[in-house]
Structures are given as structure tokens and as C-alpha cells.
mmCIF file of all heavy atoms in Angstrom:
data_model
loop_
_atom_site.group_PDB
_atom_site.id
_atom_site.type_symbol
_atom_site.label_atom_id
_atom_site.label_comp_id
_atom_site.label_asym_id
_atom_site.label_seq_id
_atom_site.Cartn_x
_atom_site.Cartn_y
_atom_site.Cartn_z
ATOM 1 N N MET A 198 138.922 -22.291 90.526
ATOM 2 C CA MET A 198 137.534 -21.836 90.404
ATOM 3 C C MET A 198 136.594 -23.029 90.547
ATOM 4 O O MET A 198 136.601 -23.952 89.746
ATOM 5 C CB MET A 198 137.374 -21.204 89.018
ATOM 6 C CG MET A 198 136.040 -20.509 88.839
ATOM 7 S SD MET A 198 136.126 -19.477 87.388
ATOM 8 C CE MET A 198 134.588 -19.949 86.620
ATOM 9 N N ALA A 199 135.840 -23.044 91.601
ATOM 10 C CA ALA A 199 134.964 -24.171 91.886
ATOM 11 C C ALA A 199 133.595 -23.989 91.242
ATOM 12 O O ALA A 199 133.032 -22.910 91.259
ATOM 13 C CB ALA A 199 134.794 -24.323 93.381
ATOM 14 N N ILE A 200 133.117 -25.037 90.661
ATOM 15 C CA ILE A 200 131.773 -24.997 90.093
ATOM 16 C C ILE A 200 130.876 -25.947 90.886
ATOM 17 O O ILE A 200 131.063 -27.151 90.860
ATOM 18 C CB ILE A 200 131.790 -25.389 88.607
ATOM 19 C CG1 ILE A 200 132.602 -24.353 87.825
ATOM 20 C CG2 ILE A 200 130.355 -25.464 88.072
ATOM 21 C CD1 ILE A 200 132.782 -24.681 86.367
ATOM 22 N N GLY A 201 129.955 -25.389 91.603
ATOM 23 C CA GLY A 201 129.072 -26.197 92.435
ATOM 24 C C GLY A 201 127.647 -26.149 91.947
ATOM 25 O O GLY A 201 127.332 -25.500 90.968
ATOM 26 N N CYS A 202 126.786 -26.833 92.660
ATOM 27 C CA CYS A 202 125.373 -26.886 92.287
ATOM 28 C C CYS A 202 124.748 -25.501 92.280
ATOM 29 O O CYS A 202 123.865 -25.204 91.498
ATOM 30 C CB CYS A 202 124.588 -27.750 93.274
ATOM 31 S SG CYS A 202 125.125 -29.455 93.284
ATOM 32 N N GLU A 203 125.195 -24.653 93.173
ATOM 33 C CA GLU A 203 124.554 -23.348 93.299
ATOM 34 C C GLU A 203 124.791 -22.457 92.076
ATOM 35 O O GLU A 203 124.132 -21.450 91.895
ATOM 36 C CB GLU A 203 125.039 -22.650 94.568
ATOM 37 C CG GLU A 203 126.540 -22.452 94.611
ATOM 38 C CD GLU A 203 127.008 -22.069 96.010
ATOM 39 O OE1 GLU A 203 126.427 -22.569 96.991
ATOM 40 O OE2 GLU A 203 127.931 -21.260 96.104
ATOM 41 N N ASP A 204 125.757 -22.822 91.239
ATOM 42 C CA ASP A 204 125.981 -22.055 90.022
ATOM 43 C C ASP A 204 124.915 -22.322 88.968
ATOM 44 O O ASP A 204 124.787 -21.580 88.013
ATOM 45 C CB ASP A 204 127.349 -22.396 89.420
ATOM 46 C CG ASP A 204 128.477 -21.800 90.252
ATOM 47 O OD1 ASP A 204 128.238 -20.758 90.903
ATOM 48 O OD2 ASP A 204 129.569 -22.374 90.248
ATOM 49 N N GLN A 205 124.157 -23.380 89.137
ATOM 50 C CA GLN A 205 123.225 -23.777 88.094
ATOM 51 C C GLN A 205 122.171 -22.741 87.787
ATOM 52 O O GLN A 205 121.777 -22.576 86.650
ATOM 53 C CB GLN A 205 122.554 -25.103 88.469
ATOM 54 C CG GLN A 205 123.438 -26.274 88.084
ATOM 55 C CD GLN A 205 122.750 -27.606 88.289
ATOM 56 O OE1 GLN A 205 121.714 -27.688 88.927
ATOM 57 N NE2 GLN A 205 123.316 -28.646 87.744
ATOM 58 N N HIS A 206 121.686 -22.056 88.779
ATOM 59 C CA HIS A 206 120.649 -21.072 88.479
ATOM 60 C C HIS A 206 121.198 -19.769 87.938
ATOM 61 O O HIS A 206 120.471 -18.833 87.678
ATOM 62 C CB HIS A 206 119.697 -20.841 89.661
ATOM 63 C CG HIS A 206 120.367 -20.717 90.976
ATOM 64 N ND1 HIS A 206 120.059 -21.538 92.029
ATOM 65 C CD2 HIS A 206 121.314 -19.889 91.416
ATOM 66 C CE1 HIS A 206 120.818 -21.180 93.066
ATOM 67 N NE2 HIS A 206 121.569 -20.204 92.717
ATOM 68 N N LYS A 207 122.492 -19.718 87.756
ATOM 69 C CA LYS A 207 123.086 -18.540 87.126
ATOM 70 C C LYS A 207 123.619 -18.854 85.737
ATOM 71 O O LYS A 207 123.886 -17.957 84.961
ATOM 72 C CB LYS A 207 124.252 -18.023 87.963
ATOM 73 C CG LYS A 207 123.849 -17.274 89.201
ATOM 74 C CD LYS A 207 125.120 -16.741 89.841
ATOM 75 C CE LYS A 207 124.814 -16.092 91.180
ATOM 76 N NZ LYS A 207 126.071 -15.725 91.848
ATOM 77 N N THR A 208 123.818 -20.115 85.475
ATOM 78 C CA THR A 208 124.430 -20.500 84.210
ATOM 79 C C THR A 208 123.395 -20.568 83.098
ATOM 80 O O THR A 208 122.433 -21.317 83.193
ATOM 81 C CB THR A 208 125.102 -21.878 84.346
ATOM 82 O OG1 THR A 208 126.001 -21.860 85.432
ATOM 83 C CG2 THR A 208 125.860 -22.234 83.074
ATOM 84 N N PRO A 209 123.595 -19.768 82.046
ATOM 85 C CA PRO A 209 122.648 -19.827 80.931
ATOM 86 C C PRO A 209 122.689 -21.189 80.250
ATOM 87 O O PRO A 209 123.757 -21.762 80.043
ATOM 88 C CB PRO A 209 123.157 -18.741 79.972
ATOM 89 C CG PRO A 209 124.020 -17.862 80.795
ATOM 90 C CD PRO A 209 124.618 -18.748 81.851
ATOM 91 N N VAL A 210 121.525 -21.706 79.932
ATOM 92 C CA VAL A 210 121.446 -22.965 79.222
ATOM 93 C C VAL A 210 120.787 -22.730 77.865
ATOM 94 O O VAL A 210 119.866 -21.921 77.753
ATOM 95 C CB VAL A 210 120.652 -24.022 80.016
ATOM 96 C CG1 VAL A 210 121.423 -24.450 81.247
ATOM 97 C CG2 VAL A 210 119.280 -23.535 80.383
ATOM 98 N N PRO A 211 121.275 -23.405 76.820
ATOM 99 C CA PRO A 211 120.675 -23.225 75.507
ATOM 100 C C PRO A 211 119.293 -23.854 75.419
ATOM 101 O O PRO A 211 119.050 -24.922 75.971
ATOM 102 C CB PRO A 211 121.668 -23.915 74.568
ATOM 103 C CG PRO A 211 122.433 -24.857 75.403
ATOM 104 C CD PRO A 211 122.416 -24.329 76.809
ATOM 105 N N GLU A 212 118.394 -23.145 74.744
ATOM 106 C CA GLU A 212 117.030 -23.629 74.596
ATOM 107 C C GLU A 212 116.546 -23.215 73.213
ATOM 108 O O GLU A 212 116.928 -22.173 72.716
ATOM 109 C CB GLU A 212 116.156 -22.980 75.680
ATOM 110 C CG GLU A 212 114.762 -23.548 75.768
ATOM 111 C CD GLU A 212 113.963 -22.880 76.880
ATOM 112 O OE1 GLU A 212 114.288 -23.090 78.060
ATOM 113 O OE2 GLU A 212 113.045 -22.133 76.567
ATOM 114 N N GLU A 213 115.739 -24.066 72.610
ATOM 115 C CA GLU A 213 115.261 -23.732 71.268
ATOM 116 C C GLU A 213 113.920 -23.018 71.314
ATOM 117 O O GLU A 213 113.006 -23.437 72.010
ATOM 118 C CB GLU A 213 115.175 -24.993 70.416
ATOM 119 C CG GLU A 213 116.537 -25.475 69.986
ATOM 120 C CD GLU A 213 116.469 -26.481 68.851
ATOM 121 O OE1 GLU A 213 115.395 -27.064 68.630
ATOM 122 O OE2 GLU A 213 117.493 -26.676 68.192
ATOM 123 N N ARG A 214 113.851 -21.931 70.572
ATOM 124 C CA ARG A 214 112.590 -21.204 70.403
ATOM 125 C C ARG A 214 112.293 -21.175 68.912
ATOM 126 O O ARG A 214 113.199 -21.144 68.103
ATOM 127 C CB ARG A 214 112.729 -19.756 70.911
ATOM 128 C CG ARG A 214 112.996 -19.646 72.385
ATOM 129 C CD ARG A 214 111.734 -19.929 73.174
ATOM 130 N NE ARG A 214 112.011 -20.019 74.609
ATOM 131 C CZ ARG A 214 111.984 -18.960 75.442
ATOM 132 N NH1 ARG A 214 111.725 -17.781 74.981
ATOM 133 N NH2 ARG A 214 112.231 -19.134 76.715
ATOM 134 N N THR A 215 111.030 -21.158 68.599
ATOM 135 C CA THR A 215 110.651 -21.102 67.197
ATOM 136 C C THR A 215 110.458 -19.652 66.767
ATOM 137 O O THR A 215 109.746 -18.905 67.406
ATOM 138 C CB THR A 215 109.350 -21.897 66.968
ATOM 139 O OG1 THR A 215 109.540 -23.234 67.425
ATOM 140 C CG2 THR A 215 109.003 -21.922 65.490
ATOM 141 N N CYS A 216 111.098 -19.301 65.689
ATOM 142 C CA CYS A 216 110.963 -17.951 65.148
ATOM 143 C C CYS A 216 109.533 -17.754 64.647
ATOM 144 O O CYS A 216 109.020 -18.555 63.876
ATOM 145 C CB CYS A 216 111.955 -17.762 64.003
ATOM 146 S SG CYS A 216 111.798 -16.159 63.191
ATOM 147 N N PRO A 217 108.872 -16.666 65.089
ATOM 148 C CA PRO A 217 107.497 -16.412 64.659
ATOM 149 C C PRO A 217 107.417 -15.932 63.216
ATOM 150 O O PRO A 217 106.333 -15.886 62.631
ATOM 151 C CB PRO A 217 107.018 -15.321 65.632
ATOM 152 C CG PRO A 217 108.243 -14.641 66.093
ATOM 153 C CD PRO A 217 109.356 -15.665 66.052
ATOM 154 N N VAL A 218 108.538 -15.537 62.655
ATOM 155 C CA VAL A 218 108.550 -15.008 61.292
ATOM 156 C C VAL A 218 108.771 -16.116 60.265
ATOM 157 O O VAL A 218 107.996 -16.285 59.328
ATOM 158 C CB VAL A 218 109.635 -13.922 61.127
ATOM 159 C CG1 VAL A 218 109.702 -13.423 59.689
ATOM 160 C CG2 VAL A 218 109.347 -12.753 62.071
ATOM 161 N N CYS A 219 109.819 -16.902 60.451
ATOM 162 C CA CYS A 219 110.170 -17.902 59.442
ATOM 163 C C CYS A 219 109.992 -19.340 59.933
ATOM 164 O O CYS A 219 110.103 -20.272 59.156
ATOM 165 C CB CYS A 219 111.597 -17.664 58.949
ATOM 166 S SG CYS A 219 112.849 -18.047 60.180
ATOM 167 N N GLY A 220 109.721 -19.502 61.212
ATOM 168 C CA GLY A 220 109.456 -20.832 61.732
ATOM 169 C C GLY A 220 110.685 -21.661 62.045
ATOM 170 O O GLY A 220 110.579 -22.822 62.431
ATOM 171 N N LYS A 221 111.837 -21.070 61.902
ATOM 172 C CA LYS A 221 113.077 -21.781 62.224
ATOM 173 C C LYS A 221 113.276 -21.889 63.722
ATOM 174 O O LYS A 221 112.754 -21.084 64.490
ATOM 175 C CB LYS A 221 114.274 -20.991 61.658
ATOM 176 C CG LYS A 221 114.687 -21.389 60.266
ATOM 177 C CD LYS A 221 116.082 -20.817 59.987
ATOM 178 C CE LYS A 221 116.662 -21.419 58.728
ATOM 179 N NZ LYS A 221 118.072 -21.085 58.561
ATOM 180 N N ASP A 222 114.060 -22.868 64.109
ATOM 181 C CA ASP A 222 114.432 -22.962 65.514
ATOM 182 C C ASP A 222 115.619 -22.043 65.776
ATOM 183 O O ASP A 222 116.614 -22.077 65.056
ATOM 184 C CB ASP A 222 114.810 -24.400 65.878
ATOM 185 C CG ASP A 222 113.580 -25.305 65.946
ATOM 186 O OD1 ASP A 222 112.486 -24.778 66.209
ATOM 187 O OD2 ASP A 222 113.724 -26.510 65.726
ATOM 188 N N ILE A 223 115.506 -21.246 66.800
ATOM 189 C CA ILE A 223 116.579 -20.337 67.185
ATOM 190 C C ILE A 223 117.067 -20.752 68.555
ATOM 191 O O ILE A 223 116.275 -21.020 69.447
ATOM 192 C CB ILE A 223 116.080 -18.881 67.268
ATOM 193 C CG1 ILE A 223 115.316 -18.492 66.014
ATOM 194 C CG2 ILE A 223 117.252 -17.932 67.499
ATOM 195 C CD1 ILE A 223 114.583 -17.164 66.180
ATOM 196 N N GLU A 224 118.380 -20.803 68.697
ATOM 197 C CA GLU A 224 118.923 -21.148 70.000
ATOM 198 C C GLU A 224 119.078 -19.889 70.839
ATOM 199 O O GLU A 224 119.735 -18.941 70.434
ATOM 200 C CB GLU A 224 120.280 -21.842 69.833
ATOM 201 C CG GLU A 224 120.740 -22.509 71.105
ATOM 202 C CD GLU A 224 122.008 -23.322 70.872
ATOM 203 O OE1 GLU A 224 123.071 -22.721 70.695
ATOM 204 O OE2 GLU A 224 121.924 -24.559 70.872
ATOM 205 N N VAL A 225 118.432 -19.903 71.989
ATOM 206 C CA VAL A 225 118.565 -18.777 72.903
ATOM 207 C C VAL A 225 119.161 -19.296 74.202
ATOM 208 O O VAL A 225 119.139 -20.483 74.480
ATOM 209 C CB VAL A 225 117.197 -18.122 73.185
ATOM 210 C CG1 VAL A 225 116.595 -17.557 71.918
ATOM 211 C CG2 VAL A 225 116.232 -19.092 73.854
ATOM 212 N N PHE A 226 119.688 -18.384 74.984
ATOM 213 C CA PHE A 226 120.214 -18.793 76.290
ATOM 214 C C PHE A 226 119.281 -18.318 77.379
ATOM 215 O O PHE A 226 118.914 -17.146 77.430
ATOM 216 C CB PHE A 226 121.634 -18.255 76.484
ATOM 217 C CG PHE A 226 122.638 -19.043 75.693
ATOM 218 C CD1 PHE A 226 122.983 -18.678 74.404
ATOM 219 C CD2 PHE A 226 123.205 -20.181 76.242
ATOM 220 C CE1 PHE A 226 123.882 -19.429 73.667
ATOM 221 C CE2 PHE A 226 124.116 -20.932 75.513
ATOM 222 C CZ PHE A 226 124.450 -20.556 74.221
ATOM 223 N N VAL A 227 118.897 -19.248 78.230
ATOM 224 C CA VAL A 227 117.954 -18.922 79.286
ATOM 225 C C VAL A 227 118.515 -19.286 80.657
ATOM 226 O O VAL A 227 119.327 -20.203 80.787
ATOM 227 C CB VAL A 227 116.614 -19.663 79.091
ATOM 228 C CG1 VAL A 227 115.972 -19.275 77.759
ATOM 229 C CG2 VAL A 227 116.779 -21.174 79.164
ATOM 230 N N VAL A 228 118.097 -18.538 81.638
ATOM 231 C CA VAL A 228 118.342 -18.891 83.024
ATOM 232 C C VAL A 228 116.979 -18.961 83.691
ATOM 233 O O VAL A 228 116.248 -17.975 83.737
ATOM 234 C CB VAL A 228 119.222 -17.845 83.732
ATOM 235 C CG1 VAL A 228 119.367 -18.183 85.216
ATOM 236 C CG2 VAL A 228 120.594 -17.777 83.082
ATOM 237 N N LYS A 229 116.620 -20.130 84.152
ATOM 238 C CA LYS A 229 115.308 -20.333 84.788
ATOM 239 C C LYS A 229 114.164 -19.867 83.890
ATOM 240 O O LYS A 229 113.263 -19.165 84.332
ATOM 241 C CB LYS A 229 115.247 -19.581 86.116
ATOM 242 C CG LYS A 229 116.135 -20.201 87.170
ATOM 243 C CD LYS A 229 116.024 -19.407 88.454
ATOM 244 C CE LYS A 229 116.063 -20.325 89.667
ATOM 245 N NZ LYS A 229 115.754 -19.605 90.897
ATOM 246 N N GLY A 230 114.236 -20.204 82.623
ATOM 247 C CA GLY A 230 113.139 -19.880 81.717
ATOM 248 C C GLY A 230 113.141 -18.449 81.198
ATOM 249 O O GLY A 230 112.310 -18.060 80.395
ATOM 250 N N ARG A 231 114.096 -17.679 81.632
ATOM 251 C CA ARG A 231 114.186 -16.284 81.220
ATOM 252 C C ARG A 231 115.303 -16.116 80.188
ATOM 253 O O ARG A 231 116.432 -16.538 80.428
ATOM 254 C CB ARG A 231 114.481 -15.428 82.452
ATOM 255 C CG ARG A 231 114.607 -13.973 82.201
ATOM 256 C CD ARG A 231 114.964 -13.285 83.487
ATOM 257 N NE ARG A 231 113.800 -13.182 84.368
ATOM 258 C CZ ARG A 231 113.054 -12.082 84.461
ATOM 259 N NH1 ARG A 231 113.354 -11.024 83.764
ATOM 260 N NH2 ARG A 231 112.024 -12.056 85.264
ATOM 261 N N VAL A 232 114.977 -15.479 79.070
ATOM 262 C CA VAL A 232 115.988 -15.258 78.036
ATOM 263 C C VAL A 232 116.955 -14.187 78.525
ATOM 264 O O VAL A 232 116.547 -13.092 78.902
ATOM 265 C CB VAL A 232 115.337 -14.812 76.707
ATOM 266 C CG1 VAL A 232 116.411 -14.559 75.639
ATOM 267 C CG2 VAL A 232 114.352 -15.868 76.215
ATOM 268 N N VAL A 233 118.237 -14.527 78.535
ATOM 269 C CA VAL A 233 119.215 -13.610 79.107
ATOM 270 C C VAL A 233 120.074 -12.913 78.061
ATOM 271 O O VAL A 233 120.843 -12.026 78.370
ATOM 272 C CB VAL A 233 120.146 -14.333 80.113
ATOM 273 C CG1 VAL A 233 119.346 -14.786 81.323
ATOM 274 C CG2 VAL A 233 120.853 -15.501 79.469
ATOM 275 N N GLU A 234 119.914 -13.333 76.815
ATOM 276 C CA GLU A 234 120.746 -12.745 75.772
ATOM 277 C C GLU A 234 119.936 -12.647 74.486
ATOM 278 O O GLU A 234 119.221 -13.588 74.143
ATOM 279 C CB GLU A 234 121.968 -13.647 75.543
ATOM 280 C CG GLU A 234 123.219 -12.911 75.175
ATOM 281 C CD GLU A 234 124.404 -13.884 75.121
ATOM 282 O OE1 GLU A 234 125.002 -14.146 76.174
ATOM 283 O OE2 GLU A 234 124.694 -14.376 74.023
ATOM 284 N N ASP A 235 120.065 -11.524 73.785
ATOM 285 C CA ASP A 235 119.366 -11.403 72.512
ATOM 286 C C ASP A 235 119.844 -12.485 71.550
ATOM 287 O O ASP A 235 121.025 -12.803 71.498
ATOM 288 C CB ASP A 235 119.661 -10.034 71.859
ATOM 289 C CG ASP A 235 119.010 -8.883 72.609
ATOM 290 O OD1 ASP A 235 118.322 -9.127 73.615
ATOM 291 O OD2 ASP A 235 119.190 -7.741 72.172
ATOM 292 N N ALA A 236 118.885 -13.039 70.794
ATOM 293 C CA ALA A 236 119.241 -14.042 69.796
ATOM 294 C C ALA A 236 118.680 -13.589 68.455
ATOM 295 O O ALA A 236 117.530 -13.167 68.361
ATOM 296 C CB ALA A 236 118.674 -15.399 70.182
ATOM 297 N N VAL A 237 119.510 -13.643 67.434
ATOM 298 C CA VAL A 237 119.099 -13.185 66.120
ATOM 299 C C VAL A 237 118.903 -14.375 65.191
ATOM 300 O O VAL A 237 119.769 -15.225 65.043
ATOM 301 C CB VAL A 237 120.154 -12.235 65.502
ATOM 302 C CG1 VAL A 237 119.643 -11.667 64.180
ATOM 303 C CG2 VAL A 237 120.479 -11.108 66.472
ATOM 304 N N CYS A 238 117.748 -14.415 64.555
ATOM 305 C CA CYS A 238 117.448 -15.472 63.597
ATOM 306 C C CYS A 238 118.107 -15.155 62.258
ATOM 307 O O CYS A 238 118.463 -14.013 61.974
ATOM 308 C CB CYS A 238 115.934 -15.572 63.436
ATOM 309 S SG CYS A 238 115.414 -16.875 62.312
ATOM 310 N N ASP A 239 118.230 -16.169 61.442
ATOM 311 C CA ASP A 239 118.783 -15.976 60.094
ATOM 312 C C ASP A 239 117.976 -14.958 59.287
ATOM 313 O O ASP A 239 118.498 -14.262 58.435
ATOM 314 C CB ASP A 239 118.797 -17.305 59.336
ATOM 315 C CG ASP A 239 119.856 -18.247 59.890
ATOM 316 O OD1 ASP A 239 120.750 -17.775 60.629
ATOM 317 O OD2 ASP A 239 119.792 -19.442 59.588
ATOM 318 N N CYS A 240 116.671 -14.879 59.566
ATOM 319 C CA CYS A 240 115.813 -13.968 58.818
ATOM 320 C C CYS A 240 115.887 -12.542 59.338
ATOM 321 O O CYS A 240 115.312 -11.636 58.751
ATOM 322 C CB CYS A 240 114.364 -14.468 58.851
ATOM 323 S SG CYS A 240 113.570 -14.263 60.461
ATOM 324 N N GLY A 241 116.591 -12.352 60.425
ATOM 325 C CA GLY A 241 116.739 -11.007 60.949
ATOM 326 C C GLY A 241 115.877 -10.718 62.163
ATOM 327 O O GLY A 241 116.031 -9.693 62.818
ATOM 328 N N TYR A 242 114.954 -11.632 62.471
ATOM 329 C CA TYR A 242 114.119 -11.441 63.650
ATOM 330 C C TYR A 242 114.959 -11.580 64.920
ATOM 331 O O TYR A 242 115.803 -12.466 65.011
ATOM 332 C CB TYR A 242 112.987 -12.476 63.656
ATOM 333 C CG TYR A 242 112.080 -12.357 64.858
ATOM 334 C CD1 TYR A 242 111.068 -11.412 64.878
ATOM 335 C CD2 TYR A 242 112.255 -13.194 65.955
ATOM 336 C CE1 TYR A 242 110.246 -11.291 65.985
ATOM 337 C CE2 TYR A 242 111.430 -13.083 67.064
ATOM 338 C CZ TYR A 242 110.431 -12.127 67.076
ATOM 339 O OH TYR A 242 109.623 -12.021 68.171
ATOM 340 N N VAL A 243 114.725 -10.706 65.862
ATOM 341 C CA VAL A 243 115.499 -10.744 67.097
ATOM 342 C C VAL A 243 114.613 -11.153 68.269
ATOM 343 O O VAL A 243 113.572 -10.547 68.507
ATOM 344 C CB VAL A 243 116.128 -9.364 67.409
ATOM 345 C CG1 VAL A 243 116.913 -9.418 68.724
ATOM 346 C CG2 VAL A 243 117.034 -8.918 66.269
ATOM 347 N N ILE A 244 115.022 -12.191 68.954
ATOM 348 C CA ILE A 244 114.380 -12.536 70.219
ATOM 349 C C ILE A 244 115.104 -11.755 71.300
ATOM 350 O O ILE A 244 116.285 -11.971 71.567
ATOM 351 C CB ILE A 244 114.443 -14.043 70.497
ATOM 352 C CG1 ILE A 244 113.595 -14.798 69.468
ATOM 353 C CG2 ILE A 244 113.952 -14.344 71.919
ATOM 354 C CD1 ILE A 244 113.556 -16.300 69.686
ATOM 355 N N LYS A 245 114.377 -10.820 71.873
ATOM 356 C CA LYS A 245 114.988 -9.944 72.861
ATOM 357 C C LYS A 245 115.143 -10.647 74.199
ATOM 358 O O LYS A 245 114.310 -11.455 74.590
ATOM 359 C CB LYS A 245 114.101 -8.707 73.056
ATOM 360 C CG LYS A 245 114.179 -7.725 71.903
ATOM 361 C CD LYS A 245 115.488 -7.006 71.931
ATOM 362 C CE LYS A 245 115.389 -5.653 71.248
ATOM 363 N NZ LYS A 245 116.647 -4.909 71.407
ATOM 364 N N ALA A 246 116.190 -10.290 74.883
ATOM 365 C CA ALA A 246 116.354 -10.793 76.241
ATOM 366 C C ALA A 246 115.236 -10.242 77.116
ATOM 367 O O ALA A 246 114.813 -9.098 76.937
ATOM 368 C CB ALA A 246 117.713 -10.369 76.783
ATOM 369 N N ASP A 247 114.751 -11.061 78.016
ATOM 370 C CA ASP A 247 113.729 -10.600 78.949
ATOM 371 C C ASP A 247 114.338 -9.573 79.900
ATOM 372 O O ASP A 247 115.414 -9.780 80.443
ATOM 373 C CB ASP A 247 113.174 -11.778 79.761
ATOM 374 C CG ASP A 247 112.362 -12.720 78.889
ATOM 375 O OD1 ASP A 247 111.773 -12.247 77.899
ATOM 376 O OD2 ASP A 247 112.315 -13.919 79.195
ATOM 377 N N GLU A 248 113.608 -8.497 80.080
ATOM 378 C CA GLU A 248 114.096 -7.458 80.982
ATOM 379 C C GLU A 248 113.901 -7.882 82.429
ATOM 380 O O GLU A 248 112.878 -8.452 82.782
ATOM 381 C CB GLU A 248 113.323 -6.152 80.746
ATOM 382 C CG GLU A 248 113.420 -5.619 79.326
ATOM 383 C CD GLU A 248 114.770 -4.985 79.067
ATOM 384 O OE1 GLU A 248 115.417 -4.547 80.035
ATOM 385 O OE2 GLU A 248 115.171 -4.939 77.895
ATOM 386 N N ALA A 249 114.882 -7.580 83.227
ATOM 387 C CA ALA A 249 114.700 -7.794 84.660
ATOM 388 C C ALA A 249 113.795 -6.692 85.182
ATOM 389 O O ALA A 249 113.865 -5.542 84.743
ATOM 390 C CB ALA A 249 116.046 -7.763 85.359
ATOM 391 N N GLU A 250 112.943 -7.032 86.132
ATOM 392 C CA GLU A 250 111.986 -6.035 86.575
ATOM 393 C C GLU A 250 112.506 -5.160 87.694
ATOM 394 O O GLU A 250 113.367 -5.515 88.423
ATOM 395 C CB GLU A 250 110.698 -6.707 87.015
ATOM 396 C CG GLU A 250 109.931 -7.172 85.793
ATOM 397 C CD GLU A 250 108.645 -7.906 86.193
ATOM 398 O OE1 GLU A 250 108.109 -7.604 87.275
ATOM 399 O OE2 GLU A 250 108.228 -8.768 85.430
HETATM 400 ZN ZN1 LIG B 444 113.396 -16.319 61.459
#
């Protein structure tokens, strides 16, 4: 299985977002700035994945 440069825009990268409820940093996975997976904060707040249009 070859991993080339072209895989980069498909590979989710971890990014920190600040929870609007408790102010904690939450790690979300993004591809090109788009959240691709729901992330749940310790306080229960959920950062929803961005919907594809
Ligand atoms: Zn929180």
C-alpha cells in the first residue's frame, strides 16, 4: 500500500478547537479545514462534523 503526496488531502489531521461551553481544547480531525468526524468534549458538547454539500 503506497502512501504518496496525493493522499494528504484525504488524510484527516488532528486540530484543536476550543469548546464554546467549557473552554477546553478538543481534538477534532479535519481534512482541508473541514471537520470530518464528530468530537465529544468532556462536558458533553459535541462538535459536529461538517456536512458535505
Ligand atoms: Zn466542553
Side-chain angles (χ1 to χ4, degrees):
M198 188 166 133
I200 296 176
C202 297
E203 58 194 35
D204 287 332
Q205 277 187 347
H206 44 237
K207 284 185 186 173
T208 306
V210 291
E212 188 179 291
E213 286 196 341
R214 296 285 172 89
T215 304
C216 176
V218 177
C219 70
K221 269 195 168 190
D222 287 334
I223 310 169
E224 193 174 72
V225 298
F226 284 91
V227 300
V228 175
K229 290 180 143 189
R231 180 183 284 262
V232 179
V233 294
E234 214 174 275
D235 290 359
V237 185
C238 182
D239 289 344
C240 72
Y242 179 81
V243 179
I244 293 182
K245 286 287 205 174
D247 291 331
E248 301 285 335
E250 286 178 28

